[in-house]
């Protein structure tokens, strides 16, 4: 990601995040790495750690991001996966493993955004050299369903109801998600990828990962598209 943003330059638009330039993308990532590093050492039962504000100037921002990322990685290496940590998702274990997983996917998706900025295009095939490993991608689908999308629907309850099948074919994993207006999201495994659902998102794990995060994707969607839209990531 760092190589991509340096190549693009700070003022280049990010086609996959239309409201952002590369500078805004890096400031976001730097803030998140700062916050995650604080979460790892905060009281698990305490209050939300405060994010620091990164520098505005590009020449100051990059080294600030480097420092915060290095601190985050060092703290993850110092802790066992089950070490206590503060987390923002109440249904998730309050452990260091939460942050390792959360930051892996946050960084992977924004690495994709940076690559699209370099390409100057939001077309699904604009960055053909970047293909996520099926295992990582499948885990990212699971993570965004249980953390990002579930939390957003707690704040903004669904107004539509039905089931959505997400099938990451090359990873051998599938999820059946049920939306009910005003109720929490239900996420379960799909026993068979041919299960009857009201809508579906099907493809390689890489493609479904991108689609689940609202990024350009070659995943095949079908059925009630309003249900898929309701599952947008935050």
């Amino acid at each position: 990601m760092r190589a991509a943003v340096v190549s693009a330059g700070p003022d280049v638009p990010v086609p996959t995040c239309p409201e952002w330039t590369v500078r805004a993308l890096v400031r976001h990532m730097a803030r998140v790495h700062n916050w995650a590093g604080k979460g790892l050492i905060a009281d698990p039962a305490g209050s939300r750690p405060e994010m620091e504000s990164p520098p505005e100037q590009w020449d100051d921002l990059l080294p600030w991001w480097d420092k915060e990322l290095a601190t985050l990685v060092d703290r993850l290496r110092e802790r066992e996966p089950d070490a206590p940590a503060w987390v923002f998702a109440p249904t998730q274990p309050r452990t260091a493993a939460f942050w390792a997983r959360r930051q892996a996917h946050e960084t992977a998706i924004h690495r994709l955004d940076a690559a699209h900025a370099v390409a100057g295009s939001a077309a699904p095939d604009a960055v053909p050299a970047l293909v996520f490993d099926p295992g990582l991608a499948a885990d990212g689908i699971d993570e965004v369903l249980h953390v990002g999308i579930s939390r957003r629907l707690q704040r903004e309850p669904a107004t539509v109801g039905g089931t959505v099948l997400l099938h990451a074919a090359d990873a051998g994993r599938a999820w059946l998600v049920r939306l009910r207006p005003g109720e929490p999201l239900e996420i379960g495994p799909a026993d068979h990828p041919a299960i009857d659902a009201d809508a579906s998102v099907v493809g390689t794990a890489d493609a479904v990962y991108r689609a689940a995060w609202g990024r350009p994707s070659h995943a095949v969607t079908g059925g009630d598209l309003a249900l898929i839209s309701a599952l947008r990531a935050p």
Side-chain angles (χ1 to χ4, degrees), residues 16 38 43 47 67 71 75 93-94 100 103 107 125 147 194 202-203 222 232:
T16 48
K38 290 183 174 183
D43 179 358
S47 59
K67 176 177 66 71
T71 298
R75 288 176 181 173
R94 296 181 179 184
Q103 293 310 287
T107 309
D125 55 358
V147 178
V202 179
R232 67 185 184 280

Side-chain angles (χ1 to χ4, degrees), residues 1 4-5 15 20 37 41 48 86 95 134 157 198 228:
M1 179 181 173
V5 300
W20 280 355
I41 59 173
R48 177 189 181 98
W86 180 89
T95 64
D198 300 310
I228 297 173

Side-chain angles (χ1 to χ4, degrees), residues 14-102:
V14 181
T16 48
C17 300
E19 71 279 15
W20 280 355
T21 61
V22 167
R23 186 196 317 274
L25 175 65
V26 173
R27 292 191 81 239
H28 168 79
M29 195 74 264
R31 280 170 60 88
V32 169
H33 283 156
N34 167 266
W35 190 48
K38 290 183 174 183
L40 283 163
I41 59 173
D43 179 358
S47 59
R48 177 189 181 98
E50 184 176 344
M51 284 186 182
E52 294 180 33
S53 183
E56 290 281 355
Q57 295 300 315
W58 187 242
D59 289 344
D60 298 325
L61 174 58
L62 288 174
W64 195 90
W65 179 29
D66 290 339
K67 176 177 66 71
E68 295 305 320
L69 175 58
T71 298
L72 169 62
V73 171
D74 286 345
R75 288 176 181 173
L76 284 169
R77 286 174 172 158
E78 291 166 359
R79 285 158 178 76
E80 295 296 327
D82 59 355
W86 180 89
V87 306
F88 60 83
T91 62
Q92 299 297 303
R94 296 181 179 184
T95 64
F98 169 88
W99 285 112
R101 187 189 197 202
R102 176 82 286 284

Side-chain angles (χ1 to χ4, degrees), residues 8 12-18 111-128 210 215-217:
V12 168
V14 181
T16 48
C17 300
R111 175 191 175 193
L112 177 63
D113 293 329
H116 276 284
V118 172
S121 170
D125 55 358
V127 288
R210 296 173 190 227
R215 284 352 188 237
S217 169

Side-chain angles (χ1 to χ4, degrees), residues 130-216:
L130 177 53
V131 179
F132 294 110
D133 174 83
L136 173 77
D139 183 74
I141 298 163
D142 190 79
E143 199 262 357
V144 74
L145 286 171
H146 282 93
V147 178
I149 296 173
S150 290
R151 288 186 71 246
R152 185 187 61 74
L153 287 172
Q154 289 173 357
R155 299 190 303 269
E156 308 166 19
T159 58
V160 294
T163 55
V164 180
L165 172 70
L166 296 95
H167 182 205
D170 56 338
R173 295 188 66 181
W175 298 258
L176 186 65
V177 177
R178 183 177 297 277
L179 288 143
R180 291 191 178 93
E183 295 188 17
L185 190 65
E186 292 182 19
I187 306 164
D191 296 330
H192 193 282
I195 193 169
D196 186 27
D198 300 310
S200 59
V201 183
V202 179
T204 63
D206 173 84
V208 178
Y209 183 36
R210 296 173 190 227
W213 272 96
R215 284 352 188 237

